[in-house]
Amino acid sequence: MPPSVNSGPVPPLPPRGHRVRQTIEQLRARILGGEWPVGGRIPTEPQLVAALGVGRNTVREAVRALVHAGVLEPRQGSGTYVVSTDELAPVVARRLGDDRMTEVIEVRRAFEVEAARLAALRRTPADLAALDGALAEREAAWHGGRVDAFVEADAALHTAVVAAAHNAMLAELYASVGTALRSTVAHAMGDALAPERYVDHARLIEAIRAGDPARAAIEAGAFLEATPGA
């Protein structure tokens, strides 16, 4: 009689909740990695089951969690699409829709004043070159007269200041509220770029260049007191 093969005890399956969490992380990793870009459709449920090696219910719960978080969006008869790589951005967008512009400006002040202070302490030659370029593009956008182009150029300059702070968590949080921050500028500008709404940011960049954190923080805060072309 041939000897029996003893492969040992079969390891227990992980709890269902654990499998769902793992699947959510796998889906999130593929989205963040660019495999499924924003605006693109993710694979169908059977394809995800085969690719991830989990059951249909696990895939369904993981997808539902990312839909609830604002990362995915189901579209009837078309599939499920990636609408954001950031789970905080949809939350901020919803709050902005509730007419909380004053709160958004207060959040801008909290982020941008500290970012300016840190940037003055930590900026590198590469950061200063990026700030000079962003400032020049902002000026060109203002003179070009298009509100949408100016809003984007203004946001790019403030993002460059945050990048010069060299604080990864601050940069991620600031990126999460980017849409809301653009909205404050667009709201202040209205339908046209009027001279009385212009705010010069050259002094902010000079304070960062000079390595003066107190002055940089004051300059950043001053823009947000007046708000118009901040």
Side-chain angles (χ1 to χ4, degrees):
M1 180 177 179
S4 61
V5 177
N6 184 0
S7 59
V10 176
L13 291 172
R16 179 176 178 77
H18 180 65
R19 291 201 303 273
V20 172
R21 286 193 297 274
Q22 283 185 324
T23 304
I24 291 170
E25 289 307 314
Q26 287 179 287
L27 295 174
R28 186 182 286 120
R30 295 191 181 205
I31 292 167
L32 292 175
E35 183 175 342
W36 305 327
V38 172
R41 185 174 59 187
I42 69 171
T44 62
E45 187 177 281
Q47 290 171 328
L48 289 174
V49 167
L52 302 176
V54 294
R56 281 179 177 268
N57 287 339
T58 298
V59 166
R60 200 167 293 153
E61 288 184 36
V63 168
R64 188 181 299 124
L66 290 178
V67 167
H68 181 73
V71 174
L72 298 176
E73 178 184 275
R75 297 176 186 172
Q76 187 67 34
S78 180
T80 301
Y81 289 77
V82 179
V83 293
S84 176
T85 58
D86 190 329
E87 295 174 29
L88 182 57
V91 176
V92 175
R94 285 196 294 271
R95 291 186 68 83
L96 181 63
D98 291 338
D99 195 25
R100 290 184 166 125
M101 193 67 70
T102 300
E103 291 184 8
V104 176
I105 293 170
E106 289 172 355
V107 170
R108 280 195 67 182
R109 185 179 295 113
F111 284 154
E112 292 180 12
V113 169
E114 181 62 11
R117 189 186 73 80
L118 292 175
L121 295 171
R122 300 174 180 175
R123 80 284 184 274
T124 65
D127 292 327
L128 292 174
L131 289 168
D132 287 339
L135 181 62
E137 289 180 10
R138 182 179 184 272
E139 292 299 303
W142 176 268
H143 292 298
R146 284 180 48 200
V147 173
D148 57 344
F150 176 76
V151 169
E152 288 303 316
D154 183 77
L157 176 59
H158 288 291
T159 300
V161 172
V162 173
H166 294 280
N167 182 310
M169 183 174 291
L170 177 60
E172 289 177 14
L173 288 170
Y174 191 77
S176 297
V177 297
T179 299
L181 302 185
R182 285 171 172 80
S183 295
T184 64
V185 179
H187 178 77
M189 289 294 100
D191 296 330
L193 300 178
E196 63 272 16
R197 296 181 182 275
Y198 176 76
V199 177
D200 185 8
H201 282 14
R203 290 192 303 273
L204 169 61
I205 304 309
E206 284 309 311
I208 293 172
R209 188 190 315 281
D212 188 336
R215 184 156 62 94
I218 289 170
E219 290 292 343
F223 300 148
L224 293 166
E225 293 296 338
T227 303

